[in-house]
Amino acid sequence: MKLVVTEKNIAAQKIADLLGVGKPKADKVYNTPVYRFERAGEEWVTIGLRGHILEPDFMPSIVYSKKDGWQGVNAEGEVRPANIPDFLPKPPFKTKRKPFTADGVQMGAWKMDALPYLAYAPIEKLPKEKDIIRSLKNLAKKADDIIIATDFDREGELIGSDALSCIKEVNTTAPVSRARYSAITKEEITHAFTNLVALDENLAQAGESRQDIDLIWGAVLTRYLTIVKFAGYGNVRSSGRVQTPTLALIVARERERMAFVPEDYWVIKAGFAHNADEFEATHATARFKSEAEANAVMAHVEGATKGTVTSIEKRKRTVAAPVPFNTTSLMAAAAAEGLSPARTMRIAESLYMDGYISYPRVDNTVYPESLDLAGTVKRLSDVPAYRPYCQELLKKGTLTATRGKKETTDHPPIHPTAAADPDKLGGPEWKLYNLIARRFLATLSDAAVVEGTKVTVDVNGEPFVTRGDVLVKPGFRAIYPYGLKKDEQLPALDEGMTVDFKGATCTKKQTEPPARYSQGKLIQEMERLGLGTKATRHAIIERLYTVKYIQNDPIEPSQLGIAVCDALGRFAPQITTPDMTATLEEDMDGIANGTKTRREVVDLSRDILNDVLRELLPHSEEVKEALSDAVAADAYVGPCPKCGKDLQLRASSKTRSMFIGCAGWPDCDVTYPLPKGKIEAVEEKCPTCGMPQIKVTAFRSKPRIMCIDPNCPTNQEPDVVVGTCPTCAAKGLNKKLIASKNPRTLKRFIRCENYDECNTSYPLPQYGELIATEEVCEHCGAPMVVVKTARGPWKLCPNFNCPGKEKEAEEKEAKAAAKKGGSKAKSATAKKASSKKATAK
């Protein structure tokens, strides 16, 4: 039996579909799906992992003895040597309080004294997906050949290597090979499994070194920031090797904006007309720094009715076709279309798994010679929107693609691998696929030619200039409109011609500070500085949002983000600069190339981190003060109506739910509930009661402003009688069901007026106008209600346990299965028809 190990279940299923003779048999080993099929008379099985099945963690404790030196001790009591430097104190310690013990140090204790030891603590690999590992070993025992078919990059090579280490525990004799592919298509997968190679241990070691370094830095710096400010409260403040210098970029730009001193300037615009055509022109002095000069020009042209065209200059410029997409340029282009980098990568991964695009994590911007450009264009011609353009491209004969600056041999640039149907893909999926497909076609296209026209008009000796651009040769712009400005056509004018002058306006303006980073621009800046990798940059930005160091897009740092960055930058500046991180990235490349070892690179990073700790530990109090002020500033909602202190956003220590509480607690017990969703404070007070307001963004809903006081008239809702209680009716009682809103929790529900006895209650959506109907649910007898929201009115049965809901879900599943089966049958019919045509030919 040949065992194929893939990174995800969907990849295992797709590869089985593409390689097998006939339809693969879906099976399970324990609880893990596997796919069995036959190929060349042999039995094959594919199993999908769930990404990493092993994860690194520190050994729980380290111990010291004169005989054996420092050793790490795992949860089972097993020991292994630990490389703890001599400058750190050895047992016996003066105290046995945590993290210290009689013979060592506990690594799990979040104590400041443990951090220098944590920087050097031994790391072990622990099972992350125990069920999958058990299934993998069960299959491995029976396997004659092992094929690792995880994604081909550092991460994928490491996942494959970890899987292999589990396999070797039960099967040491089966030969191991590696299948490398860049797209999940029949051609690519067949080629990969026909041309198997060896697992690249250097690449896997490079991936493992990144895991180790990120664990060490993340754990030590995060624990430091958490202990400094939040000892005992469970609120973690995150930091990391790449995360912190990325945050520093955002904070530095914000500092530039804060330090920026705007300067006044004046702009003069004039209106002109020629026959029925009107156009605007700006004074040749684009910005007047003196109001007096601007007023002098306005005085010169006052009362004029005519202007003379003194010159017309026409120039053509060529706009080169874009280069192929790599990961960074794809994320930047998609961000301009409203898809965040993190979402872009999630969608791209899905499109790749479904066989629509090539592997999405690449640095390469040069198509390899092996890529069939004409064949890909032919496939894309099956998409009606692209067909005419594809046909024109194919008429050219030999296709020549543009080339970017980065050329690697691992994967080709991101390109479409199959035709997609916009009706079958979701909106965001089609948006990204459309961008990738059009970019691919654009890279095979001619340059665009733009004709620019500059017209100068004289009014009483004052020159006014206007410009127009016209796309005279569309070239690649015919298929790739992204970022294209509309044509700015000017009237037909000749030199010496007189035009009507419609008057001029003088507007005072101010210079603007540097723009904040958009997510797309930040990704590009991170790549330029060597921060992170193509596979991690989007996740780093998402992490900064999650820990609330940044907000909005364009990106703005929070007060806490600024405080963390400033505190670390003041006492350990090497953390906040990209140099150290970029150097470590180069070292990890050296591991992949075989010029460095994992041990030397990880040990170097430990030494650098130790130097950082030496700077930070003596200044813990100063860091604490900076973070305290920032946390309070970010959490501020408004003044407390009872004691005048700050009302702040807080998290319950018991339920973790958010609420608004007074900073004067426990002396002041003022609290206010919060609805579900993202909560942000706003400056404007409630126009009805004068209390502070918040902006609430519920899941998949537009933001709305609401008063924090549940008793404010704006938060009140009248009770609505929606029907009679079916439970009470069964007992011969006539009791009403009433929809109301709880002022303490802000939750809405329907409850029987006899609730204490019958316990009949139904939850309701949090938002939307509620309208009673006289209908009852045919399945459970609960009252049917209508909820009116921005998306429109919808009728529902509020009973979560209604039998009709199960029936609806089953019907939906059946319809989806039928639709899927129908599309497969249609595809099979189409294939048969095309093969018949080919045979006839």
Side-chain angles (χ1 to χ4, degrees):
M1 178 190 82
K2 288 185 184 288
L3 174 62
V4 179
V5 182
T6 68
E7 202 161 311
K8 295 183 178 72
N9 175 56
I10 189 171
Q13 186 179 7
K14 296 275 184 185
I15 287 172
D17 285 338
L18 295 170
L19 287 180
V21 176
K23 188 177 180 181
K25 180 189 173 187
D27 195 3
K28 279 193 175 181
V29 174
Y30 299 117
N31 292 320
T32 307
V34 299
Y35 304 90
R36 302 181 186 275
F37 61 95
E38 192 177 294
R39 179 177 173 82
E42 290 184 286
E43 182 193 357
W44 289 55
V45 181
T46 59
I47 181 172
L49 310 177
R50 201 174 290 132
H52 290 282
I53 58 173
L54 302 178
E55 63 181 347
D57 200 359
F58 298 107
M59 298 187 84
S61 63
I62 54 173
V63 296
Y64 178 80
S65 68
K66 288 185 178 179
K67 178 186 173 185
D68 300 313
W70 282 104
Q71 291 181 306
V73 183
N74 69 12
E76 284 74 40
E78 298 169 349
V79 297
R80 54 172 270 198
N83 188 24
I84 308 296
D86 289 335
F87 57 75
L88 289 176
K90 301 177 181 69
F93 298 110
K94 293 179 181 178
T95 175
K96 291 183 183 177
R97 294 180 64 182
K98 284 187 179 181
F100 300 115
T101 62
D103 59 350
V105 186
Q106 294 176 336
M107 293 296 94
W110 283 48
K111 299 291 182 181
M112 204 68 84
D113 290 335
L115 296 185
Y117 295 92
L118 192 66
Y120 290 98
I123 294 170
E124 61 179 338
K125 277 287 186 77
L126 299 174
K128 182 182 178 185
E129 301 289 348
K130 291 183 180 179
D131 287 347
I132 292 177
I133 292 171
R134 183 171 68 150
S135 304
L136 180 65
K137 287 182 176 180
N138 180 284
L139 288 172
K141 288 175 187 176
K142 310 161 193 170
D144 302 311
D145 286 282
I146 310 293
I147 302 173
I148 304 297
T150 49
D151 292 343
F152 177 39
D153 57 11
R154 283 184 195 174
E155 199 85 354
E157 210 75 5
L158 174 58
I159 290 168
S161 178
D162 284 347
L164 186 57
S165 69
C166 295
I167 290 169
K168 290 291 186 185
E169 290 177 20
V170 295
N171 186 339
T172 57
T173 58
V176 179
S177 49
R178 176 75 160 100
R180 291 178 180 166
Y181 49 90
S182 296
I184 301 182
T185 61
K186 181 78 174 175
E187 280 179 349
E188 186 81 10
I189 294 299
T190 303
H191 180 269
F193 280 82
T194 309
N195 298 273
L196 296 169
V197 296
L199 193 74
D200 188 337
E201 196 54 43
N202 287 337
L203 197 62
Q205 288 288 299
E208 192 152 11
S209 69
R210 177 183 302 284
Q211 268 194 337
D212 291 350
I213 291 169
D214 287 348
L215 169 68
I216 297 162
W217 280 77
V220 171
L221 293 180
T222 295
R223 289 188 192 189
Y224 172 79
L225 290 174
T226 304
I227 296 164
V228 157
K229 171 65 185 79
F230 289 101
Y233 292 96
N235 292 298
V236 175
R237 291 297 164 198
S238 178
S239 184
R241 178 182 62 87
V242 182
Q243 181 184 308
T244 304
T246 302
L247 175 63
L249 290 175
I250 298 164
V251 172
R253 179 60 58 89
E254 197 66 20
R255 293 281 187 216
E256 285 180 53
R257 290 174 59 83
M258 291 162 68
F260 181 80
V261 179
E263 295 180 2
D264 294 338
Y265 67 93
W266 289 261
V267 174
I268 297 177
K269 284 191 175 181
F272 296 95
H274 175 61
N275 296 331
D277 296 321
E278 295 188 355
F279 62 97
E280 272 193 345
T282 305
H283 195 275
T285 303
R287 293 183 176 187
F288 289 94
K289 294 187 178 180
S290 159
E291 186 177 13
E293 291 176 12
N295 288 338
V297 171
M298 291 295 288
H300 288 169
V301 300
E302 189 176 354
T305 58
K306 299 291 180 183
T308 304
V309 178
T310 56
S311 71
I312 297 176
E313 300 173 38
K314 289 192 176 184
R315 287 184 182 175
K316 287 185 179 179
R317 66 179 187 275
T318 301
V319 182
V323 300
F325 270 145
N326 64 5
T327 304
T328 300
S329 55
L330 172 64
M331 287 191 285
E337 298 304 307
L339 295 174
S340 71
R343 193 177 184 197
T344 294
M345 291 312 294
R346 284 194 291 270
I347 296 170
E349 179 74 16
S350 173
L351 292 173
Y352 161 67
M353 284 295 178
D354 288 336
Y356 287 117
I357 66 169
S358 62
Y359 191 60
R361 290 189 284 275
V362 296
D363 289 321
N364 197 1
T365 56
V366 178
Y367 296 129
E369 290 182 11
S370 59
L371 183 61
D372 183 3
L373 299 176
T376 307
V377 174
K378 284 175 186 172
R379 281 193 287 274
L380 287 180
S381 65
D382 289 340
V383 181
Y386 311 149
R387 187 174 298 135
Y389 195 85
C390 290
Q391 289 169 348
E392 288 300 315
L393 274 180
L394 293 170
K395 285 178 187 176
K396 292 167 60 175
T398 304
L399 294 173
T400 304
T402 56
R403 297 170 62 89
K405 293 179 180 177
K406 290 190 176 182
E407 185 172 8
T408 59
T409 56
D410 51 356
H411 292 286
I414 303 165
H415 64 278
T417 53
D421 185 344
D423 295 329
K424 290 181 181 176
L425 288 182
E429 287 78 10
W430 171 254
K431 179 186 275 190
L432 189 64
Y433 174 86
N434 191 36
L435 174 66
I436 292 167
R438 289 178 179 274
R439 178 67 161 236
F440 171 76
L441 294 172
T443 62
L444 306 176
S445 304
D446 296 330
V449 178
V450 177
E451 184 177 79
T453 304
K454 176 184 173 184
V455 176
T456 304
V457 181
D458 182 275
V459 180
N460 285 354
E462 297 294 344
F464 288 85
V465 176
T466 186
R467 290 177 171 84
D469 279 343
V470 177
L471 194 64
V472 293
K473 182 184 173 186
F476 75 92
R477 282 299 188 189
I479 193 69
Y480 194 76
Y482 303 97
L484 177 64
K485 293 180 180 178
K486 289 183 179 178
D487 282 358
E488 296 174 357
Q489 195 95 33
L490 293 174
L493 300 170
D494 295 312
E495 286 189 17
M497 183 181 283
T498 300
V499 294
D500 295 331
F501 175 59
K502 297 291 187 179
T505 57
C506 181
T507 307
K508 181 181 178 181
K509 295 187 176 183
Q510 285 190 324
T511 52
E512 294 185 353
R516 293 187 175 107
Y517 287 110
S518 65
Q519 290 193 45
K521 291 288 185 188
L522 182 59
I523 286 274
Q524 291 174 312
E525 186 68 3
M526 289 171 73
E527 181 184 49
R528 187 183 72 81
L529 295 171
L531 292 174
T533 68
K534 56 186 177 289
T536 62
R537 291 181 186 115
H538 65 281
I540 290 159
I541 295 173
E542 192 171 40
R543 176 68 180 158
L544 289 172
Y545 277 110
T546 302
V547 297
K548 298 182 180 178
Y549 287 171
I550 60 175
Q551 57 204 9
N552 307 325
D553 190 15
I555 303 169
E556 182 181 352
S558 65
Q559 291 298 318
L560 180 61
I562 293 172
V564 166
C565 193
D566 286 353
L568 295 177
R570 180 180 169 193
F571 302 116
Q574 62 267 50
I575 304 179
T576 59
T577 58
D579 302 346
M580 176 271 297
T581 292
T583 301
L584 285 175
E585 293 289 349
E586 288 174 13
D587 288 344
M588 284 184 266
D589 289 339
I591 299 171
N593 298 332
T595 57
K596 287 185 180 292
T597 66
R598 172 184 158 211
R599 172 72 181 269
E600 64 182 306
V601 173
V602 173
D603 284 353
L604 172 63
S605 78
R606 290 182 190 269
D607 290 338
I608 296 171
L609 179 57
N610 180 68
D611 292 341
V612 167
L613 273 178
R614 282 181 174 175
E615 297 294 327
L616 285 176
L617 290 174
H619 300 286
S620 297
E621 281 303 314
E622 292 147 283
V623 174
K624 176 183 176 179
E625 286 176 20
L627 296 186
S628 298
D629 293 342
V631 170
D634 279 337
Y636 179 75
V637 174
C640 175
K642 184 176 177 181
C643 69
K645 291 185 178 178
D646 292 350
L647 290 175
Q648 297 173 332
L649 295 172
R650 295 189 163 194
S652 165
S653 57
K654 291 182 180 178
T655 65
R656 301 291 177 189
S657 58
M658 298 295 294
F659 69 97
I660 293 173
C662 180
W665 187 88
D667 298 326
C668 180
D669 60 357
V670 171
T671 62
Y672 297 99
L674 285 172
K676 287 184 179 178
K678 180 184 174 185
I679 308 295
E680 298 171 80
V682 296
E683 291 184 8
E684 298 78 16
K685 303 293 182 190
C686 175
T688 304
C689 70
M691 284 291 287
Q693 295 187 117
I694 52 173
K695 182 167 78 170
V696 183
T697 309
F699 180 64
R700 288 184 177 176
S701 300
K702 290 183 178 178
R704 63 192 192 96
I705 304 296
M706 64 173 284
C707 178
I708 67 167
D709 187 356
N711 297 315
C712 175
T714 59
N715 285 326
Q716 299 300 305
E717 289 184 17
D719 290 351
V720 178
V721 177
V722 296
T724 55
C725 174
T727 309
C728 290
K731 297 177 182 177
L733 300 173
N734 184 19
K735 297 296 181 181
K736 295 174 184 174
L737 287 172
I738 301 169
S740 56
K741 182 177 182 179
N742 186 322
R744 187 176 59 83
T745 64
L746 300 181
K747 290 181 178 177
R748 300 198 306 178
F749 51 82
I750 294 171
R751 186 163 287 178
C752 177
E753 59 184 340
N754 190 34
Y755 175 75
D756 291 340
E757 291 186 22
C758 77
N759 290 324
T760 300
S761 179
Y762 308 112
L764 281 172
Q766 196 165 349
Y767 307 114
E769 181 189 350
L770 193 69
I771 301 170
T773 69
E774 295 183 0
E775 303 171 43
V776 294
C777 175
E778 60 179 316
H779 301 287
C780 68
M784 299 294 287
V785 294
V786 171
V787 179
K788 287 178 71 175
T789 65
R791 297 181 185 179
W794 48 292
K795 190 185 289 186
L796 61 88
C797 168
N799 183 6
F800 269 14
N801 300 316
C802 175
K805 295 192 188 298
E806 267 185 51
K807 193 176 176 183
E808 274 180 38
E810 286 171 8
E811 286 175 359
K812 278 184 183 176
E813 277 184 29
K815 280 183 183 177
K819 190 176 179 183
K820 193 174 181 182
S823 63
K824 280 187 178 178
K826 194 174 177 183
S827 170
T829 307
K831 282 180 182 176
K832 283 180 184 176
S834 63
S835 65
K836 281 181 183 178
K837 283 182 184 177
T839 307
K841 283 181 183 178

